[in-house]
Amino acid sequence: QLPADASNAAERVSLLRRRVKLLKRCCEDNSQGKAKVLDAQEQLVDATTAHSSASAADKDTAADELVELSELLDNNAGNYARAMQLLDRAIDSKLAVGAPPTDVALIFFKQGRLFNRMGRYQEAVERLQSSVEIRSQVLGEEHLDLAASFNWLGNAFKNLKKLEEAL
């Protein structure tokens, strides 16, 4: 049983971190195991972000774990709405800790891809354009990450039947 009270918040985060590692090693090969890993990871993220004395680095790591969780939900469970909620939380966390713009651009990219999969193409275009804008300013016009954003942006425009913009 994990301690739930605020006085043991640091211990709870530490125990949850170990639980996630253990579950990943032994249980990720089946659907029940994946569900346990997802649940444990989400508990870890919640505990870390709620822990008032957690460092900015720990909170940034928790935001990265939210992004990882969203990918698992998207790829394995097709739970797009929950994946989007996690990405929204990740953006809030990244902005709160002053994360690099490329981290925010990556989340915008993942949101754009997810919106595209959900058939919400206009929202996909908006997120992907934000990703393109940040990545082009920070990484430069020749970076591969920018190419990925352009590729998904073109797909979203194609799905909107805006073929001129897709080119």
Side-chain angles (χ1 to χ4, degrees), residues 5 43 46 94 114 157:
D5 61 317
Q43 288 178 29
D46 289 343
K94 289 287 186 180
L114 191 55
F157 276 128

Side-chain angles (χ1 to χ4, degrees), residues 53-75:
S53 63
S55 70
D58 284 342
K59 290 183 179 184
D60 187 54
T61 300
D64 290 338
E65 289 170 0
L66 285 169
V67 173
E68 180 183 329
L69 275 171
S70 76
E71 290 281 316
L72 290 171
L73 286 168
D74 178 13
N75 294 333

